[in-house]
């Protein structure tokens, strides 16, 4: 395994700009291994996981964000959940979807589909979660997230995400950056940042050459003073458990559980995020039904 996945968050008070950069190689490998993804799904899901990690880092302690990319392409949908503490998980609707290469590259845009929506749901520990939906902009993931920030949150943003796939299907580099201009905007600095982003090699090229999140930020902020706010680990972790599945079965009500008992010998529930299997045999279901009396 390569070095630990982590994220760095910085701010330039002079420019009124905040930025984050991350490396997510291990995270993407672990999630895609669990879901046995084909190359197209690996790259698309990998980019979305990186985007989730970056957005999660903008949250306060205990808050979570969920990204749902839904398009009319063969991948169907990509779901990512990220917590404020650096925990990220996700899955893709059709992990074995495939398309011919486009200009020698995996065709993520047509894999997801040119027509569709990105929905961002934030649990900010208030009565109702915040939800924002925008149309897919390019279906390349990074530009869609930048479009969401501008359209739904009115925050001018630039997002870069990359996943490099080796011929054997292993991810050797994944990560990205997010830059946001905060009000009041310093137009001169923003123009300078846009030019510097335009001059950068691809994210995967930078990460494969050994560049760290700190290095990415130094390149982006060349000639612009900034300071580091935090560095945090990023890792896969699922929130599922047998107890949570049990609670879901309780929510079916007595009649629902009785119909399960009548239909089959046992039921098997598989978590969409981690693929963990939970088996409930007739004795378990009978106990659950008994607890409802």
């Amino acid at each position: 395994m390569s070095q630990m996945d982590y994220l760095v968050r910085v701010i330039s008070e002079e420019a009124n700009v905040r930025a984050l950069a991350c490396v997510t190689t291990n995270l993407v490998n672990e999630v895609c291994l669990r879901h046995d993804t084909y190359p197209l799904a690996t790259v698309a899901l990998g980019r979305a996981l990186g985007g989730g990690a970056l957005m999660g880092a903008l949250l306060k302690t205990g808050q979570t964000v969920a990204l749902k990319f839904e398009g009319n392409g063969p991948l169907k949908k990509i779901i990512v959940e990220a917590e404020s503490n650096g925990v990220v998980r996700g899955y893709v609707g059709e992990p074995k979807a495939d398309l011919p290469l486009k200009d020698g590259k995996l065709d993520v845009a047509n894999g997801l589909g040119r027509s569709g929506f990105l929905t961002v749901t934030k649990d900010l520990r208030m009565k109702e979660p915040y939800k924002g939906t925008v149309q897919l902009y390019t279906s390349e993931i990074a530009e869609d997230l930048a479009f969401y920030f501008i359209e739904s949150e009115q925050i001018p943003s630039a997002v870069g995400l990359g996943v490099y796939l080796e011929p054997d299907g292993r991810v050797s580099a994944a990560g990205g950056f997010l830059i946001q201009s905060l009000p009041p905007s310093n137009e001169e600095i923003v123009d300078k940042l846009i030019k510097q982003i335009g001059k950068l090699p691809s994210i995967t090229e930078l990460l494969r050459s050994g560049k760290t999140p700190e290095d990415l930020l130094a390149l982006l902020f060349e000639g612009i003073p900034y300071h580091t706010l935090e560095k945090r680990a990023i890792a896969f972790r699922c929130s599922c458990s047998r107890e949570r599945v049990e609670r879901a079965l309780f929510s079916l009500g007595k009649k629902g559980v009785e119909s399960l008992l009548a239909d089959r010998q046992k039921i098997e529930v598989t978590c969409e995020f981690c693929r963990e299997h939970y088996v409930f045999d007739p004795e378990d279901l009978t106990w659950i039904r008994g607890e409802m009396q």
Side-chain angles (χ1 to χ4, degrees), residues 90-110:
Y91 66 92
V92 59
E94 293 291 342
K96 291 177 171 48
D98 200 14
L99 279 178
L101 296 178
K102 188 176 181 184
D103 303 323
K105 292 181 179 178
L106 290 160
D107 191 359
V108 170
N110 283 313

Side-chain angles (χ1 to χ4, degrees), residues 12 14-15 188-189 192-193 196 217-226:
S12 171
E14 186 183 299
E188 192 182 327
I189 298 280
K192 189 173 182 181
L193 281 164
Q196 287 177 188
L217 292 164
L219 287 167
L220 290 164
F221 281 89
E222 194 180 337
I224 303 166
Y226 66 93

